Amino acid sequence: NGGGRPTLITYSWDTVSNQPPSKCGETVLTDRTGTFLKGSLASINAPYNPYLYAVGSEYRSIEWWQPMGACISDWTMLPSPTIYQSAVRSVAISHDDQLVASGSDQVVHVWDIGGNLVFTRPVSGPSGPLRSVRFSPVERRLIIADNTMLYCLFWTGSTFDISWTSSISIRGGIAFSPTGQRLLAASLSTWYVYNALNGHIIASGTEKVNNVPIPILCCAWAPDDRYFAVGRRDGKIRLYNTTNYTLYR
């Protein structure tokens, strides 16, 4: 599929009825990946409203889609304004569906839903490449993670200002807690839990096998806020309690 990175897929889920929007939801997204988008995906991010998608492709484009039904013919393409110089690595949509963040190795853009550019930040030099962009689930707080730094930006009403930064090499992803008050970040073999409001580290832990650190490849926070998970290179997933940060299983 375009000779790019492995495809990462997530599909729409109706959070009210707790089921896919219709029976053909998963089939539609298989079609999107293989033929509809005509290329492999660098990133596809499902926002907290389940009916809006931002898709970044290996062909250096960012596309926005609003699934009005489970069939491709029912989907509406919103303004898709930007072409990058390299593949899009990450996309995210704000909790209120009004802002879309997208980024490649050179730059991060934030657009309003009308396709108007409202913010841009270079990502280059020793701090690159871009690893991820994530919005808080409850407010217009944006996390930008590159190879050596974590940036937390907060919307002032007209642009984003830096709220805090942390020197960390993100390799295993980032994830907000459901309340938006905490942030999980995975760096090499160590996970960190931040206070998302001020950047203070609340807890951390290193994954090891026979006392040797093992890389973390991904992380996630449970919707009920009781646990977070880290996925390791050896194929194991570890669950931690979010009250005392001890290993659950």
Side-chain angles (χ1 to χ4, degrees), residues 59-89:
Y59 296 117
R60 305 184 302 277
S61 63
I62 179 74
E63 299 176 354
W64 306 347
W65 293 89
Q66 187 173 15
M68 304 305 292
C71 298
I72 290 177
S73 59
D74 297 327
W75 290 25
T76 300
M77 188 174 184
L78 302 176
S80 304
T82 186
I83 300 294
Y84 289 96
Q85 297 300 310
S86 62
V88 176
R89 285 186 175 269

Side-chain angles (χ1 to χ4, degrees), residues 109-187:
H109 288 121
V110 180
W111 317 82
D112 65 26
I113 204 61
N116 302 301
L117 182 64
V118 297
F119 178 79
T120 183
R121 180 179 179 84
V123 179
S124 60
S127 62
L130 179 74
R131 296 293 181 183
S132 184
V133 291
R134 285 289 182 273
F135 273 109
S136 164
V138 297
E139 60 184 351
R140 291 184 178 182
R141 186 178 298 276
L142 175 64
I143 298 294
I144 300 174
D146 62 29
N147 200 40
T148 61
M149 291 290 292
L150 197 63
Y151 303 89
C152 177
L153 299 93
F154 193 76
W155 184 252
T156 63
S158 59
T159 188
F160 281 95
D161 285 343
I162 293 180
S163 175
W164 55 266
T165 63
S166 178
S167 296
I168 180 175
S169 178
I170 298 296
R171 299 299 177 92
I174 53 178
F176 271 102
S177 67
T179 63
Q181 295 183 353
R182 291 177 288 180
L183 179 75
L184 175 64
S187 171

